[in-house]
Amino acid sequence: MIINEIQLTNIGAYRGVHSFDFRPENDKNVILIGGENGAGKTTLLNAIKLGLFGAYSYGYKTENAEYYKKVESILNHTAKKLDENNFQIQVEFSLIDGFEKVDYTSTRNWNYVNKSIKESHHILANNEELSEYEKDLFLSKLKEIMPPQLLDLCLFDGEEIARIVSENLLSDYLK
C-alpha cells in the first residue's frame, strides 16, 4: 500500500481544508512529519487509519455510540462552534491487485443531523465509485492486506514511542 495524499476538512487542529501529499520523490519511500507539540502530527496519523477503516480503526466491528463519541472528539472545535457541518477525511492510496496498480480514494464525511453525527463513506477505484457490495468486499480485503494494527507499525508516532519506552510497555505493545 502506498498512501499518496490525505485531505482533512475540519479535523483536529486542521480547520478548513488541508492537503498533505505523501507521493515519494526520487525513489525515496520514507516520509518524515515534524512539528511542535499540538500541531496535529498525531491527528494526521490517526486520520489515515480512521479514513481507511472507520469504526474498525478503534477496534469496533460496526459504527456505534462509542465510535461516534470518538469521532466527535476529533472534529475541529471551532468549526463545531460555528455550526459548520462539513467534516471529512479523504485518503488517496494505491494497491497492487492482480498484478495491476489500482488507485483508490476513501472519503469519510461526518455531518450533524438533528444534533447527531451521521457518517457517509465512499470508495473510488480508478475514479469509479464502488457499490455497497464492492465496498464491503474491498474493506474486508483491505483489513487482510493492511490491518490497522499493522498500519500502526508503519506510521510511527515519536511521542507514542517515547511513552511506550519510558513506561516499559514495549513487550505489551508488540503482543
Side-chain angles (χ1 to χ4, degrees):
M1 171 189 280
I2 298 174
I3 297 172
N4 298 313
E5 186 173 336
I6 183 167
Q7 184 180 82
L8 305 178
T9 305
N10 294 325
I11 301 294
Y14 302 101
R15 179 152 182 259
V17 178
H18 296 266
S19 294
F20 303 88
D21 189 344
F22 295 132
R23 288 174 185 84
E25 294 179 11
N26 304 325
D27 296 327
K28 296 178 182 175
N29 58 3
V30 174
I31 304 289
L32 298 176
I33 301 167
E36 303 272 334
N37 286 346
K41 301 176 302 291
T42 301
T43 298
L44 180 61
L45 297 177
N46 290 335
I48 292 170
K49 269 186 16 180
L50 182 58
L52 292 173
F53 299 106
Y56 194 71
S57 68
Y58 291 117
Y60 303 119
K61 290 184 179 184
T62 60
E63 297 167 11
N64 58 42
E66 288 300 312
Y67 168 65
Y68 282 117
K69 277 185 194 176
K70 290 181 185 261
V71 167
E72 187 163 27
S73 74
I74 66 150
L75 303 181
N76 181 274
H77 299 297
T78 303
K80 287 192 292 188
K81 283 181 188 175
L82 296 174
D83 290 327
E84 293 177 19
N85 202 12
N86 182 22
F87 305 92
Q88 177 179 287
I89 299 172
Q90 181 173 296
V91 183
E92 294 179 19
F93 59 100
S94 301
L95 288 172
I96 303 299
D97 189 10
F99 302 106
E100 181 181 325
K101 178 183 165 213
V102 180
D103 294 317
Y104 292 95
T105 303
S106 174
T107 305
R108 284 188 194 274
N109 293 290
W110 295 275
N111 298 95
Y112 284 94
V113 177
N114 297 326
K115 298 187 181 185
S116 296
I117 298 176
K118 300 295 178 201
E119 178 179 285
S120 63
H121 182 218
H122 303 277
I123 299 178
L124 302 178
N126 290 334
N127 294 317
E128 293 194 23
E129 187 160 358
L130 299 181
S131 68
E132 285 300 312
Y133 176 74
E134 292 169 324
K135 185 170 70 171
D136 288 343
L137 286 178
F138 174 75
L139 290 173
S140 292
K141 182 177 172 180
L142 184 62
K143 290 173 192 173
E144 291 176 17
I145 295 170
M146 181 60 72
Q149 300 85 348
L150 183 58
L151 192 60
D152 284 340
L153 293 175
C154 299
L155 302 174
F156 297 109
D157 181 340
E159 292 171 6
E160 181 67 11
I161 292 171
R163 184 188 70 79
I164 289 168
V165 170
S166 69
E167 295 178 15
N168 202 23
L169 299 172
L170 187 56
S171 61
D172 291 337
Y173 185 79
L174 292 175
K175 287 180 185 173

